[in-house]
Each structure stands twice: as C-alpha cells, then as structure tokens.
Amino acid sequence: MRDALATTLDTLPFERITVVLLTKRAGVNRSTFYQHYATTSDLLIDLVNVRLDETGLAEFDPFELDISSEQPPEFVTKLTDFVESARPIYVSKLTTSAQNTLCVQFMAHLSSVFTHVLACRKPDYVSPLVFISAPALAGSITGPIWAWLQDPDPPAKEDMEGWLWKVIRLALRTRQERYMAREGCPGPVSLN
C-alpha cells in the first residue's frame, strides 16, 4: 500500500487520493486497508516514516563529524535529499492532525539521531543534558526545514545544507566547550 501511495503521489496531489484508488493500485480490498490504517493520512505518515528510516541518518558514525570543517557531512546531505524528495508530501493539503504528526515524528527521528551523536562525542560524559540538547538541536533545525518546505521559491538545497550544518556545528561546539571547561582542558579550535 505504501508503494501504491508513493507512485500515485507522482501523478496526483494527496488530497485527491482515495482509499478506493489506493486499494485498486495495491491489489488489495478495502478491508485490508482498514486493518492497517484508519485514513489515507495514516498511510502517508507511515510512508514518510519508512522513507525517513531508509535514509540511514541514524547509521552514520558520529566520530567522523569534523566540526572544524565548513563542508556539511554526508548525513546533512542525506537529510536535505530526503526533505527535498518528500516535499510534495509535506506540502500536501494534509489535515492539521496529520501535519502535526509528521512534524513531531520528524523531530523525534532527528532527536534520536542527535542523542546518538551527542552521547558518542564524549562517551565518558553521558548526562541528562544529552536528552535535553538532542531534542533542542532537532527542533532548531526542524523550523528552518519546515520554512524551506513551505517557501514557494525555496533557497537552493546546497544553501540549506550549509545553514543546517552551521546550526549543528554551533551546538556541537558549545557542548564540546562546556565539556572541556568542566574537565579543565584547553578550548577547541575556533570556528568561523
């Protein structure tokens, strides 16, 4: 059913897609659809979550992040690639409930990624602050991403990647400075 929805979204706006159309394209009956989903919005939310999981955002090695580099790492590119490919879904005329669910689930996914990143940066310093810092970082980039999606004349993907990476670098740098100050270490190399 997810595949049927994905291919249908290539030709029709979401608001014109019905359960009848999807079940015909998927080769299942309506009762099968309703065993899994209450509405087409629920199926769309499921599709977005599966596609987000398939990006591999949560599978990168946080130790490979070079916060002194201005070049966005691969995971930022994967994120913007996903958002750009999902633009038609996110800008569909969804119900407010579906939009809110997609936004919250997107933030939760990013929060789990950043929890992993922050906890791995200094494994000997895992504290409750990680579980505050990670959602704060996820929220700080979700807002600009949502604005990018809604913009009828959006900035280039490469520009968005650069801006997102600056926010992420700043958060990681701040956390590193706090850790180093607590441990009495010299400060990190200054970032532009």
Side-chain angles (χ1 to χ4, degrees), residues 101-169:
T101 301
L102 284 172
C103 184
V104 166
Q105 289 179 342
F106 183 77
M107 279 187 55
H109 189 89
L110 288 179
S111 183
S112 67
V113 169
F114 290 129
T115 297
H116 177 61
V117 169
L118 293 171
C120 289
R121 295 297 290 185
K122 284 289 181 185
D124 56 329
Y125 182 51
V126 176
S127 74
L129 289 179
V130 169
F131 304 104
I132 295 168
S133 301
L137 181 51
S140 69
I141 68 169
T142 298
I145 287 172
W146 238 247
W148 183 47
L149 284 168
Q150 303 301 319
D151 192 335
D153 185 25
K157 184 175 99 53
E158 294 75 21
D159 292 339
M160 194 66 194
E161 288 172 3
W163 297 331
L164 294 176
W165 180 229
K166 283 182 182 179
V167 170
I168 295 166
R169 284 174 65 212

Side-chain angles (χ1 to χ4, degrees), residues 42-187:
D42 292 339
L43 173 58
L44 180 66
I45 291 165
D46 185 39
L47 172 65
V48 171
N49 285 329
V50 167
R51 294 270 171 93
L52 189 54
D53 287 341
E54 290 171 352
T55 62
L57 286 176
E59 298 167 9
F60 76 97
D61 183 357
F63 294 107
E64 293 179 4
L65 286 181
D66 179 6
I67 62 173
S68 65
S69 172
E70 291 186 25
Q71 181 66 34
E74 183 181 7
F75 93 93
V76 174
T77 302
K78 284 182 178 183
L79 175 62
T80 55
D81 285 346
F82 166 77
V83 171
E84 195 168 57
S85 70
R87 180 183 300 276
I89 294 170
Y90 284 125
V91 299
S92 295
K93 293 180 181 169
L94 299 173
T95 64
T96 302
S97 173
Q99 286 178 346
N100 291 342
T101 301
L102 284 172
C103 184
V104 166
Q105 289 179 342
F106 183 77
M107 279 187 55
H109 189 89
L110 288 179
S111 183
S112 67
V113 169
F114 290 129
T115 297
H116 177 61
V117 169
L118 293 171
C120 289
R121 295 297 290 185
K122 284 289 181 185
D124 56 329
Y125 182 51
V126 176
S127 74
L129 289 179
V130 169
F131 304 104
I132 295 168
S133 301
L137 181 51
S140 69
I141 68 169
T142 298
I145 287 172
W146 238 247
W148 183 47
L149 284 168
Q150 303 301 319
D151 192 335
D153 185 25
K157 184 175 99 53
E158 294 75 21
D159 292 339
M160 194 66 194
E161 288 172 3
W163 297 331
L164 294 176
W165 180 229
K166 283 182 182 179
V167 170
I168 295 166
R169 284 174 65 212
L170 178 61
L172 294 176
R173 176 182 164 204
T174 301
R175 181 162 159 58
Q176 180 180 354
E177 287 174 350
R178 285 184 183 152
Y179 172 79
M180 294 177 96
R182 187 179 75 84
E183 294 298 313
C185 300

